[in-house]
Amino acid sequence: SDEAASPANGGGGDAAPGLTPGYAAPEQLLGQPVTTATDVYALGLVLFVLLAGRHPAAPEQMQTRSELVRFTLETEPPRLSEVVDSRQARLLQGDLEAIVTKAIDRDPLRRYTTAELFAQDLQRYLALEPVAARPRSFGYKLSKFVRRNRGAVLGGSTAMLAVLLTSGF
C-alpha cells in the first residue's frame, strides 16, 4: 500500500532495515551505537507529535526516505511553538517546549540520558516544579514557587501589606 511505503512509516529507501527513519535518532541513521539516549529521542518525537499534531520533519511532505534522513541529520527540529497556531503556542512555550527540545536534540550527549530522567522532568512540569531542561535561575525557581503556592503567597503578601500599612499609620 502507499501508506506502508511512505517515508514516515519506513517504506522504501536506503536506511538500515528494521528502523523507521521518521523516528530514528541521528546516531542510528549514521550507524553509530544505539544507547538509551536513542530511545529518549524516539520518545521525544512521539511527544512532539502528540502535542503538535504533526512530526517535526512533516514527513508527509518528504518525497523520499533519503529526504527525511537528510532532514534528521542536517536540520534542527522546529520548536513546538513554531508548528502550532498562536493559541496553542502559548500553552506549549516554556517548560514543556524545553523538555521536548532536550529530548529530541540531535546531539545524544545533550539529551536526557535515561527515559526515567525524561519522565521525571515531565512529572516536575505537571507538578509546577522547576524542570532540568531549563536553566535554574533564581527568578525561574521563584516563579515556579509562586505558581505552586499562589494562595499562600497571596495571603502572605496581603498580611505583609496590612502590617506595613498599619505600622505606617
Side-chain angles (χ1 to χ4, degrees):
S1 83
D2 289 334
E3 183 180 9
S6 77
N9 293 327
D14 51 6
L19 68 84
T20 303
Y23 291 86
E27 61 271 19
Q28 278 180 292
L29 297 172
L30 293 170
Q32 296 172 348
V34 173
T35 66
T36 308
T38 307
D39 295 332
V40 169
Y41 182 89
L43 290 170
L45 281 176
V46 169
L47 183 58
F48 188 104
V49 171
L50 288 171
L51 294 170
R54 63 166 276 233
H55 191 281
E60 64 278 358
Q61 296 174 4
M62 302 285 170
Q63 297 300 312
T64 66
R65 193 177 201 179
S66 297
E67 287 177 343
L68 185 57
V69 169
R70 187 171 45 256
F71 177 88
T72 302
L73 294 175
E74 298 174 0
T75 308
E76 287 296 325
R79 298 181 77 74
L80 277 170
S81 59
E82 295 172 349
V83 300
V84 295
D85 64 50
S86 59
R87 191 183 104 261
Q88 287 177 304
R90 277 192 332 223
L91 297 172
L92 297 175
Q93 286 176 329
D95 289 346
L96 192 54
E97 186 170 67
I99 291 168
V100 172
T101 299
K102 182 177 174 91
I104 63 172
D105 196 298
R106 287 188 324 183
D107 182 353
L109 297 176
R110 290 193 303 245
R111 286 184 219 137
Y112 295 98
T113 54
T114 66
E116 178 64 26
L117 292 174
F118 183 30
Q120 286 173 2
D121 236 5
L122 289 170
Q123 289 169 340
R124 282 192 287 273
Y125 166 75
L126 293 172
L128 301 175
E129 296 173 353
V131 299
R134 301 231 0 219
R136 290 187 170 224
S137 67
F138 176 74
Y140 172 67
K141 290 191 283 188
L142 180 63
S143 71
K144 288 296 181 179
F145 177 81
V146 169
R147 280 195 69 188
R148 261 191 335 272
N149 301 290
R150 273 189 192 161
V153 170
L154 183 60
S157 298
T158 303
M160 181 67 81
L161 183 61
V163 168
L164 289 173
L165 289 175
T166 304
S167 66
F169 286 114

